Amino acid sequence: MASAPSSTSGIHLPDTAADLVKILVAGPFGVGKTTLIDSVSEIRPLHTEERLTEASSRTDDLDGVREKTTTTVAVDFGRISLPDGVVLYLFGTPGQQRFRQLWDDIAYGALGALVLVDSRRIDASFDVLGLVEETGLPYAVAFNAFPDAPRHHTPEQLRAALDLEPATPMVTCDARDAGSSLDALLALVQRLVDRHPSEPR
């Protein structure tokens, strides 16, 4: 299990903050992006959620997420301080195609992306993975462990289903659990460090 994030008082950055890193938390509608940011953020997270309406049900694919009642319409935001002065700014992106125009604005300046995947509906992740790859962002994939998710897939089968490069980190997490979510974020941070080993950490 990863170390807990550094504690901070109030909303202010810790005095030890040295490297500020923008990270996207991406994934399809209903995969747990808001939940993950809630679980790890050391500040009160910012959410732009609205209730789903009958009109949106004709636009948004609710297959597999019928119990969902709200949706992010702009961005989720949270912050987490790691050891050695690294601070991650977490930007959760809307998962529906109708918010595609926001993607470039939210992705601007990001160093990497954590892509959440629901193994019950892997194909719902293809569009988001395509967007991340088009942007050229390094990324890690985290399978959010829903209680009724299938358990018979091997890591090799999951990697093949998403057509991931061998170097792309792939982990399982529980977005409700801070330690598990932190482990997923650290897999992405390690990916960034591996790609730029000579830069300050």
Side-chain angles (χ1 to χ4, degrees):
M1 182 64 68
S3 302
S6 304
S7 61
T8 60
S9 59
I11 63 172
H12 302 289
L13 279 172
D15 294 336
T16 55
D19 296 312
L20 310 180
V21 181
K22 181 178 181 179
I23 296 296
L24 300 186
V25 179
F29 176 59
V31 77
K33 302 180 293 294
T34 299
T35 301
L36 184 140
I37 291 173
D38 276 348
S39 74
V40 297
S41 182
E42 66 197 11
I43 60 173
R44 182 178 179 180
L46 167 70
H47 298 305
T48 53
E49 290 206 321
E50 294 293 341
R51 291 190 62 80
L52 288 169
T53 64
E54 186 65 30
S56 69
S57 69
R58 295 190 291 270
T59 304
D60 300 327
D61 182 5
L62 299 180
D63 189 35
V65 288
R66 293 289 175 186
E67 71 285 357
K68 190 166 174 60
T69 60
T70 61
T71 184
T72 299
V73 296
V75 67
D76 291 320
F77 175 77
R79 188 187 78 203
I80 181 171
S81 298
L82 302 178
D84 301 323
V86 176
V87 177
L88 303 184
Y89 288 116
L90 306 176
F91 287 77
T93 62
Q96 300 100 302
Q97 186 62 32
R98 62 190 171 105
F99 297 116
R100 170 65 177 87
Q101 67 272 18
L102 292 174
W103 175 266
D104 291 337
D105 290 337
I106 297 173
Y108 182 79
L111 292 189
L114 180 67
V115 180
L116 286 181
V117 176
D118 183 347
S119 61
R120 302 170 302 177
R121 48 191 186 100
I122 289 176
D123 58 345
S125 301
F126 295 158
D127 287 345
V128 174
L129 283 168
L131 281 175
V132 173
E133 290 174 352
E134 285 175 23
T135 309
L137 288 173
Y139 65 94
V141 169
F143 283 88
N144 192 8
F146 288 93
D148 59 342
R151 310 292 179 185
H152 58 275
H153 298 308
T154 66
E156 293 76 16
Q157 289 172 326
L158 293 173
R159 185 174 291 275
L162 293 174
D163 194 25
L164 299 179
E165 296 286 340
T168 302
M170 189 184 76
V171 299
T172 299
C173 77
D174 182 340
R176 301 166 298 181
D177 180 78
S180 182
S181 297
L182 178 59
D183 284 339
L185 288 165
L186 289 177
L188 171 62
V189 170
Q190 187 60 55
R191 170 69 164 153
L192 299 177
V193 170
D194 291 345
R195 284 172 60 99
H196 304 285
S198 62
E199 295 184 4
R201 301 184 184 184

